[in-house]
Amino acid sequence: MNIGILGLGTVGGGVVNVLAKNQTEIKRRTNTQIQVTHAAVRDINQSRICSTAGIQLTQDPSEIVNNNSIDIVLELMGGTGLAKELVETAIKNGKHVITANKALIATHGNELLALAKANNTHLLFEAAVAGGIPILKSLEQGLSANQIEMVAGIINGTGNFILTEMRDKGRDFDSVLKEAQELGYAEADPTFDVEGIDAAHKLAILAAIAFGCELQFNKVSTEGISEISGEDVAFATELGYSIKHLGIAKKVKGEIQMRVHPTLIPKTRLLANVDGVMNAVLVKGNAVGPTLYYGAGAGDEATASAVIADLIDVIKGTVSNDVLGWKSFEAIPYQNHNDIESIFYLRLLATDKPGVLADITAIFANHNISVEAVVQKQIDEQDNAHIAIITNQVKTGDIQVAVTEIQSHDFIQEEIKIIHVETLD
Ligand code: NAP
Ligand code: HSE
C-alpha cells in the first residue's frame, strides 16, 4: 500500500515516526505492508522530526495527488485553498484521502464528502477533532445505538494549555502561546486557537456526526479566551468553579445549538480538571447516559495515532464512505442564539454607594432573573466594589437586555463581563 503525504511537519512527521515504530503491530493488524513513498513539503532542505529515508520529497504537491502509484493520500499541510484543490484532485483520481484538517472539513466537508462518495473513495478525518482521542469513531460506532443529546468538550489543546499555565503558574498569555507554538500545538495562525475558531471547526464536525446533520460551521457562535482576566479566574475559584474554553452542541426541543465560549464549570466535574494540552469530550446519549473521552488534543504522535487509525480502517475496508450518515442527514433547525438558555456569571465594577446592589437586583427581577450567588470583594482605592454574580438559568436574550440596562447606570464603571456557566448535568 503506497502512501503519499502532503505536509511533513508536526503531524506528517509524527505519522512517519509512528508508522516506523509500530510497523510490526500495524502489519499484524492490516496484513499489509504500508510504505510512505512520497511527501510534499514547502522547503525540501528543512530539517524534519522524522527520517525521510525512502521517501521521495517534492515541493510540488500536485505530483502526489496525480501519481498513479499512490493509493492513499494523507493531507497534513493545512489550509483551505490549495489543500482543498489537492484533496479534490486526489479523490477524482480515485484515491482515498485522510486528513487532520478541521478547517477544510468544517468549511468544505459537505461538498468533499459528496465528491468522495460519487468517486467511490473514502474521506476520513478522525484526527481533525480532539487530536488523539478517537471521538468520531466513538460517536459513529460505539454510541451508534443512541440519540445524542449533548456533546461538550475542551477541544483546543493550545487554549487549554494557555488557561492552565496562566492559572497555575501566573504566566502571561503571550509567553504561554509562544511555548504552545514551539511545541507544535498551535495552528499556523494561532488566532484560530485563542479566538475559538479552531474549536468551532471541531464543534461543527462533532455536531454533524452526533446529530446526523450537515456541517454548518457558520452556525457556531464563537468566543475566544483572550478576554478572560485574572480577576475572573479568582472569582470563579472563590465561587467553586474552573474556567474552561468549551465547545457545546446540544439538541434541545428538536433544535440544535452550537457554541464555543469560556465557561465556568463546577470544580467537582471531571471536565473542570482537564488541564494542559489535554482534551476531553463529554457525550450524552439517551441510552448510555454520560460518557467521557480524554486524551492529548494536539502534538505529533498523538495526532498521528488518529491519522493512522483511519489509514488502518481504509486498508481493512472497515469504513463506509457514508461516514456522517450522509445519505440520510436531517435538515435540523438551529436554535436562535437569544433563545439559548444558560446560567450566567457576571462581573461588575460599581461605585460603592448605598442601594447599588438593590438597583441591580431590581433590574434582574424585572426581567425574571434570579440571583443564585453574589461575591463582593473589598472596596478598592477608587471606592469601587468588585462584584461577581451567578444567575439562575435564563435565556441569552433576556440576560443581554438586563445587562444593557444595568450598564446604562452611572454607578457602573466598566463594561460588565458575561460568561456562561454550565453545570453539565
Ligand atoms: P505544520 O507543522 O506547519 O506542517 C505543515 C506541513 O505542510 C509542513 O511540512 C509544510 O512544509 C507543508 N506545506 C505547507 N504548505 C505547503 C505547500 N504549499 N506545498 C507543500 N507543502 C506545504 O502543521 P501541522 O501542525 O502538522 O498541521 C497540519 C494539519 O494538521 C493542519 O490542518 C492542522 O490543523 C492539523 N492538526 C494539527 C495538529 C497538531 O497538533 N499540530 C493536531 C490535529 C490536527 P515545510 O515543512 O517545508 O514548511
Ligand atoms: N491547534 C490545535 C489545538 C491542534 O491546539 O487543539 C489540534 O487540533
Side-chain angles (χ1 to χ4, degrees):
M1 189 65 71
N2 291 338
I3 312 297
I5 305 187
L6 303 170
L8 216 49
T10 302
V11 183
V15 165
V16 171
N17 285 335
V18 174
L19 281 173
K21 87 171 176 187
N22 294 343
Q23 58 180 308
T24 309
E25 194 60 22
I26 292 168
K27 173 113 189 274
R28 184 183 69 75
R29 291 195 165 118
T30 56
N31 204 20
T32 303
Q33 189 65 47
I34 299 172
Q35 331 174 95
V36 177
T37 55
H38 297 75
V41 291
R42 234 176 338 219
D43 176 2
I44 223 157
N45 298 314
Q46 198 178 294
S47 67
R48 306 269 150 213
I49 61 168
C50 62
S51 160
T52 53
I55 303 176
Q56 201 171 315
L57 294 183
T58 173
Q59 288 176 186
D60 178 3
S62 70
E63 280 180 13
I64 304 233
V65 292
N66 289 311
N67 185 324
N68 288 334
S69 73
I70 291 173
D71 306 292
I72 301 175
V73 170
L74 311 184
E75 187 280 296
L76 306 172
M77 55 190 263
T80 53
L82 179 60
K84 176 170 180 270
E85 285 170 29
L86 293 167
V87 167
E88 282 170 341
T89 307
I91 291 171
K92 285 178 188 161
N93 285 336
K95 299 181 196 312
H96 304 300
V97 176
I98 294 161
T99 180
N101 188 338
K102 48 272 167 149
L104 179 67
I105 295 300
T107 54
H108 299 292
N110 293 324
E111 56 187 286
L112 290 174
L113 282 156
L115 185 69
K117 190 168 183 165
N119 285 274
N120 209 20
T121 65
H122 299 301
L123 170 60
L124 298 183
F125 42 89
E126 179 65 69
V129 182
I133 305 174
I135 186 64
L136 304 188
K137 292 190 202 307
S138 299
L139 283 165
E140 287 159 17
Q141 296 166 13
L143 298 176
S144 57
N146 289 263
Q147 287 179 42
I148 304 299
E149 295 166 347
M150 178 175 87
V151 180
I154 295 167
I155 47 179
N156 182 268
T158 302
N160 204 37
F161 180 69
I162 292 172
L163 287 178
T164 306
E165 291 287 305
M166 284 173 70
R167 182 198 63 198
D168 293 351
K169 300 183 188 157
R171 293 179 61 190
D172 71 276
F173 191 98
D174 291 338
S175 82
V176 192
L177 173 58
K178 191 163 173 283
E179 189 183 343
Q181 289 177 293
E182 284 161 7
L183 290 166
Y185 302 156
E187 294 303 298
D189 176 355
T191 59
F192 275 44
D193 296 291
V194 297
E195 296 308 336
I197 302 159
D198 178 74
H201 287 144
K202 293 166 177 167
L203 190 70
I205 297 171
L206 281 171
I209 293 184
F211 304 129
C213 56
E214 276 190 305
L215 289 150
Q216 290 206 65
F217 166 64
N218 58 1
K219 292 277 182 6
V220 185
S221 115
T222 307
E223 209 185 305
I225 57 170
S226 54
E227 298 297 314
I228 296 176
S229 70
E231 191 171 20
D232 294 318
V233 174
F235 267 132
T237 305
E238 197 169 340
L239 287 157
Y241 296 91
S242 278
I243 302 184
K244 291 291 177 189
H245 197 214
L246 283 197
I248 301 169
K250 282 186 190 172
K251 203 167 174 187
V252 181
K253 294 180 195 143
E255 292 181 327
I256 291 175
Q257 48 173 267
M258 295 190 289
R259 46 198 170 95
V260 169
H261 48 63
T263 312
L264 271 72
I265 310 174
K267 272 191 221 156
T268 47
R269 294 280 175 223
L270 288 170
L271 268 185
N273 297 290
V274 172
D275 288 336
V277 74
M278 303 309 274
N279 279 193
V281 185
L282 171 69
V283 182
K284 278 192 186 170
N286 71 339
V288 71
T291 58
L292 186 67
Y293 306 83
Y294 171 84
D300 52 356
E301 295 204 357
T303 311
S305 164
V307 173
I308 296 169
D310 276 348
L311 183 58
I312 292 173
D313 275 355
V314 170
I315 293 169
K316 286 168 71 180
T318 50
V319 288
S320 79
N321 58 347
D322 191 25
V323 65
L324 294 184
W326 225 238
K327 277 192 297 236
S328 55
F329 65 71
E330 291 177 66
I332 308 174
Y334 283 80
Q335 196 170 24
N336 182 315
H337 187 68
N338 283 343
D339 292 336
I340 291 175
E341 291 192 359
S342 176
I343 299 169
F344 289 94
Y345 155 96
L346 307 175
R347 180 169 55 76
L348 306 89
L349 186 66
T351 315
D352 177 39
K353 62 178 187 185
V356 164
L357 262 183
D359 285 351
I360 292 170
T361 48
I363 294 169
F364 282 142
N366 287 342
H367 292 278
N368 262 335
I369 298 168
S370 295
V371 171
E372 300 288 322
V374 183
V375 175
Q376 184 180 314
K377 289 215 184 124
Q378 275 185 326
I379 308 304
D380 67 19
E381 285 159 1
Q382 284 78 41
D383 277 344
N384 288 326
H386 296 245
I387 303 165
I389 293 174
I390 304 281
T391 71
N392 66 333
Q393 177 122 328
V394 292
K395 283 193 175 171
T396 302
D398 291 345
I399 198 79
Q400 274 161 354
V401 172
V403 164
T404 305
E405 198 175 325
I406 296 168
Q407 186 80 59
S408 69
H409 283 263
D410 57 9
F411 57 72
I412 295 293
Q413 299 301 321
E414 66 177 28
E415 194 176 335
I416 298 170
K417 175 70 79 61
I418 312 176
I419 305 181
H420 285 265
V421 178
E422 281 284 335
T423 57
L424 300 170
D425 290 327

